Amino acid sequence: MPLLHKIAGVVIVCAVIMGLVLPRDERGSEPEREAARAGAQTKSENEADKDTPARPARQGRTTHARPSPSVTVIAQARPEVARIRANELGQIPVLMYHRIVKKPEMSLDRSVQEFRDEITRLAKSGYVPITAGEFAAGRVDVPAGRHPVVLTFDDSTPGHFALDAHGNPAPDTVVSVLTEVARQYPGFRPTATFYLNKDPFQLGDRTGEGLKWLVQHGFELGNHTLSHKNLAQMSQSGVEKEIGDIEGQIVSLAGVHTKTLAYPFGSEPKKAAWAQAKTGSYRFNGVFLAGWRPSESPFSRDFDWRHIPRVRSEGKIAEDDCKRYCSTAWLDWLDKNPTERYISDGDPNTVSFPRAAESKLASRFRVYARAY
């Protein structure tokens, strides 16, 4: 046998032996090894594990990675991440609004001016809105050093959104105020999630036009049940009908499914699974309560997509202990305790935090983690 053939035979035998004994990551192709290093094994959204939120991903993509058991050491964060003290395990305020009106009449009302003042405060303080769906899925994409905030509006009332005769948002509505503040403060993203009941925004025969306008301009539609009944007092069929009927209307009018649900009155049904998904009708990646504190980061081991707390928008008034638990009080507290607040590293594909906070990290996100 020619010498070259003998050498080739030896090489092949060695390659086979090494393939049998080397770890899986080492014997994969270069693209496979690169994907493993980046934690970038991708699935379609429909294949996603609905028991956990989506992994960090660029806007418009959902990346689902299965962490390798060999990933035990968290990578070092970039120097600039340490300089801005990024903390993507910090708390995120999810603000809950109801009616926005010129003159408040009920306890949950906020005036247009109160709303404008609070949104302006958020913009000045470095907050950037993301949608409820993005938050629940772990798609937190805001500039470095900024803080995500989720703006949610229950009951789809006319003060949230209305169209003028030319098809533009009416003045002094939520949408027009958000747009106005975004023009004044570059980097402030004009977006929000509107939780809809029947007859959204009382738009009548312009409902389809209005819902499509919102979707096309970066706003998000959420499910708040058809008639705002207390789900805790309903049977499985009743719960599924309340959620499924409004979901069907939204799909018919706007052409999109909702990604999240907000419980009316914050009340959970006897079995939470009834509200979380129904085959062929609805399936949520986040369920929101009417709670009294900021939410944990979606990358925290304490985050539960089935029970996401919100903070009522209100000043420091005595009613319902708003001196401690409503939006003004919590925003003040986060200002005074900046290490407790989510601070973005500017990269939606990593999760950065001080090394001392490592114990807070959910284990499935270790492949994305960067510590300093």
Side-chain angles (χ1 to χ4, degrees):
M1 181 183 295
L3 178 60
L4 289 177
H5 287 186
K6 290 180 180 180
I7 293 172
V10 171
V11 170
I12 291 171
V13 171
C14 290
V16 171
I17 293 172
M18 290 176 68
L20 293 174
V21 300
L22 283 176
R24 175 72 176 88
D25 287 347
E26 292 300 321
R27 69 174 188 259
S29 67
E30 179 57 32
E32 288 172 334
R33 290 197 295 272
E34 184 64 29
R37 284 193 294 269
Q41 179 182 344
T42 303
K43 288 184 178 182
S44 71
E45 187 172 355
N46 290 335
E47 295 171 322
D49 178 359
K50 293 296 180 179
D51 287 336
T52 59
R55 299 348 185 213
R58 288 190 175 87
Q59 189 74 15
R61 273 183 69 197
T62 303
T63 301
H64 300 269
R66 299 207 177 273
S68 166
S70 64
V71 178
T72 56
V73 179
I74 290 178
Q76 182 69 27
R78 304 186 313 274
E80 55 267 33
V81 169
R83 281 198 297 272
I84 63 172
R85 308 301 295 170
N87 180 15
E88 297 186 318
L89 295 178
Q91 298 179 61
I92 298 175
V94 181
L95 302 188
M96 177 183 68
Y97 297 89
H98 287 80
R99 296 201 315 167
I100 305 297
V101 294
K102 290 185 177 180
K103 185 177 180 180
E105 300 171 344
M106 298 186 290
S107 63
L108 294 176
D109 289 352
R110 299 231 73 187
S111 73
V112 174
Q113 191 57 50
E114 286 173 332
F115 175 64
R116 181 179 283 108
D117 290 345
E118 185 159 78
I119 296 303
T120 300
R121 172 184 180 167
L122 292 171
K124 287 181 175 180
S125 299
Y127 285 95
V128 177
I130 62 175
T131 67
E134 290 166 347
F135 168 66
R139 291 172 54 201
V140 184
D141 188 1
V142 302
R146 299 288 191 96
H147 322 293
V149 62
V150 183
L151 307 176
T152 66
F153 297 84
D154 290 7
D155 308 338
S156 54
T157 57
H160 299 164
F161 177 64
L163 291 170
D164 65 17
H166 304 288
N168 299 314
D172 289 338
T173 58
V174 165
V175 172
S176 64
V177 171
L178 289 174
T179 303
E180 167 193 318
V181 172
R183 283 196 298 264
Q184 294 173 353
Y185 297 91
F188 185 84
R189 180 185 173 205
T191 193
T193 299
F194 296 102
Y195 284 109
L196 310 184
N197 303 121
K198 62 183 177 183
D199 191 17
F201 312 112
Q202 298 179 26
L203 287 170
D205 58 7
R206 301 187 74 184
T207 300
E209 176 189 359
L211 297 187
K212 288 175 183 176
W213 189 100
L214 288 170
V215 172
Q216 291 166 2
H217 289 80
F219 293 89
E220 182 178 57
L221 310 178
N223 192 309
H224 199 43
T225 75
L226 183 70
S227 52
H228 205 281
K229 292 180 179 177
N230 187 338
L231 300 184
Q233 301 173 355
M234 302 182 72
S235 65
Q236 177 177 357
S237 61
V239 169
E240 293 176 343
K241 180 173 174 59
E242 272 292 304
I243 298 172
D245 282 2
I246 189 63
E247 187 72 16
Q249 289 184 23
I250 293 169
V251 172
S252 175
L253 291 166
V256 297
H257 273 283
T258 64
K259 298 180 177 68
T260 61
L261 167 73
Y263 287 135
F265 312 108
S267 298
E268 187 175 72
K270 296 181 181 69
K271 291 188 177 180
W274 300 345
Q276 292 162 11
K278 181 186 178 184
T279 302
S281 181
Y282 55 86
R283 190 177 188 91
F284 303 115
N285 69 3
V287 180
F288 289 78
L289 308 176
W292 299 95
R293 63 177 177 82
S295 173
E296 300 291 341
S297 163
F299 313 125
S300 167
R301 59 180 171 79
D302 295 325
F303 179 77
D304 183 356
W305 67 268
R306 304 169 184 84
H307 303 94
I308 302 174
R310 295 188 288 172
V311 174
R312 170 185 165 184
S313 173
E314 185 54 86
K316 290 183 178 180
I317 62 175
E319 179 194 324
D320 293 327
D321 209 2
C322 276
K323 289 182 178 180
R324 297 174 58 196
Y325 296 121
C326 291
S327 60
T328 300
W330 274 117
L331 292 174
D332 286 349
W333 186 86
L334 289 170
D335 284 344
K336 295 174 182 176
N337 298 272
T339 60
E340 299 293 330
R341 180 167 52 188
Y342 189 113
I343 302 174
S344 174
D345 68 359
D347 184 348
N349 292 305
T350 60
V351 181
S352 299
F353 49 85
R355 199 166 290 277
E358 181 178 337
S359 63
K360 296 182 179 180
L361 180 70
S363 59
R364 63 185 175 275
F365 297 115
R366 290 184 71 87
V367 289
Y368 306 100
R370 305 290 185 269
Y372 59 90

